[in-house]
Every structure is written in C-alpha cells, then in structure tokens.
Amino acid sequence: MKEELNPKTKSKKSKTKNFVTNSPEETFELGEKLGESLSGGEIILLSGGLGAGKTLFTKGILNALDFDIDEVTSPSFTLVNLYKTENFDVFHIDFWRLDENSDVAFAVGLDEILEDEKAVVIAEWSERLGRKSFSNPTIYVNIEGDGDDARKIKITQSEASNSN
Ligand code: ADP
Ligand code: MG
C-alpha cells in the first residue's frame, strides 16, 4: 500500500462553518448555497451515515446548477454518475461499496476525473478515502443526524495546497 507522499502539509488554511437544518427543504437549500459558490475544480467530500442527507444535499447543489434533480441518484452501483451542466462536468461518486483498504480513489478513476478542468467532484461516503488529500480545493461536508431529527451540517473549506 502506498503511503501518503506528503505527510507534512499541515499549514493549509481552512474555515469551518456549522449549520443546523430543521427540515429536508433546509438541507436541500444548504446544498443549493454551496452549488451557487462553485467555480469548477472543487472536490466536495460528503460524510455521514445512511439516510443522513448526502444525496439530498447533492440534489441541492445540482439544482443550483440548473440540472434536473430527478436524474440525481446515489450512484451506489454505478460508482460514478456524470451530470453535464452548463459550466461543469459534475462527477457524483459513491464509495459505499468499496473496501476501505482498497485504493478507492483509483477504483473510480479519480485522477483522470480531476484532469477535466470543468470537473466538480461530489463524493458520498468519503470516509472510505481515509486521509487522502488533494491539490484541488476541497470542501468537507459532514452531516449528523437521521430519521426526522434536525441535521447538524459542518462545512469545512480548505484552500488548494501548493505543496509538492
Ligand atoms: P444519504 O444519501 O445520506 O443516505 P438521503 O439524502 O438519501 O441520505 O436521505 C436523507 C433523508 O433525510 C431524506 O429522507 C430527507 O428527507 C431526510 N432529511 C434531510 N434533512 C433533514 C432534516 N433536517 N430533518 C428531517 N429530515 C431530513
Ligand atoms: Mg446517498
């Protein structure tokens, strides 16, 4: 297993915001807000349990990009869905079925995906990536809560790292 080549990239700036959503609509709207802020090249890493709201949040993002959200579904079996919006190629990935000890990024062809300048990556079950870090701007979205409960949503944006 390959080790992380760059264990010393600690000095990256990042900012965290905490939200509480009290309804599915609010979770969707928070996704829309994130969608409106995208400029291309971002990696959005979603984490949180089954039914937390990862797919709903993703639908919010795509709605903000004027994409038909009926086409947005968890790619649990296909692993990757591609949604072409006006400005972006949005790759919706689901790592759920992949083994934590395998190279899950390799399994979905993440490096090739990131060569696409118009790519925006949205990944469900990003816990499976372990501690992998990216040179692209990365947005971590953790959703806590399930059932009818309110959701605590933590969004952390880290700047692109220039280290090599
Ligand atoms: P995941 O992709 O994380 O498995 P889904 O997005 O498929 O989860 O499902 C999330 C579920 O949680 C939906 O049924 C949605 O209505 C519900 N939900 C999302 N946010 C809230 C909230 N703030 N309060 C109550 N229910 C919510
Ligand atoms: Mg899902």
Side-chain angles (χ1 to χ4, degrees):
M1 187 67 21
K2 239 188 347 189
E3 289 298 325
E4 200 52 68
L5 290 172
N6 225 343
K8 282 191 285 207
T9 45
K10 278 256 156 28
S11 56
K12 264 192 271 177
K13 275 184 249 159
S14 67
K15 48 181 188 217
T16 299
K17 283 185 182 166
N18 290 291
F19 300 87
V20 173
T21 64
N22 289 298
S23 66
E25 291 74 24
E26 287 184 11
T27 300
F28 183 85
E29 283 166 16
L30 193 57
E32 285 186 305
K33 271 204 346 208
L34 179 57
E36 285 160 10
S37 76
L38 295 172
S39 50
E42 291 90 349
I43 301 177
I44 300 164
L45 298 179
L46 300 170
S47 58
L50 195 65
K54 300 179 293 297
T55 300
L56 184 62
F57 189 90
T58 303
K59 283 176 184 267
I61 295 173
L62 270 299
N63 198 52
L65 300 176
D66 278 331
F67 194 82
D68 177 5
I69 57 164
D70 290 340
E71 312 257 318
V72 177
T73 53
S74 275
S76 315
F77 292 93
T78 51
L79 298 183
V80 185
N81 288 342
L82 171 58
Y83 315 126
K84 285 189 171 277
T85 72
E86 195 186 338
N87 296 315
F88 307 126
D89 294 338
V90 180
F91 293 88
H92 183 192
I93 302 175
D94 191 331
F95 291 118
W96 168 240
R97 291 177 65 245
L98 297 177
D99 182 347
E100 210 150 343
N101 296 316
S102 65
D103 191 342
V104 299
F106 180 77
V108 299
L110 200 53
D111 288 343
E112 284 81 5
I113 287 173
L114 292 171
E115 280 169 20
D116 177 349
E117 282 171 12
K118 290 166 70 186
V120 168
V121 171
I122 306 174
E124 301 195 29
W125 294 103
S126 62
E127 294 94 327
R128 299 276 197 275
L129 282 169
R131 297 181 54 80
K132 187 175 170 63
S133 68
F134 300 94
S135 53
N136 295 55
T138 306
I139 303 165
Y140 298 86
V141 180
N142 178 253
I143 309 178
E144 250 177 63
D146 55 24
D148 293 334
D149 294 349
R151 304 294 196 265
K152 282 189 192 167
I153 303 183
K154 182 167 108 177
I155 301 182
T156 302
Q157 312 227 16
S158 69
E159 309 278 312
S161 74
N162 294 314
S163 51
N164 22 190

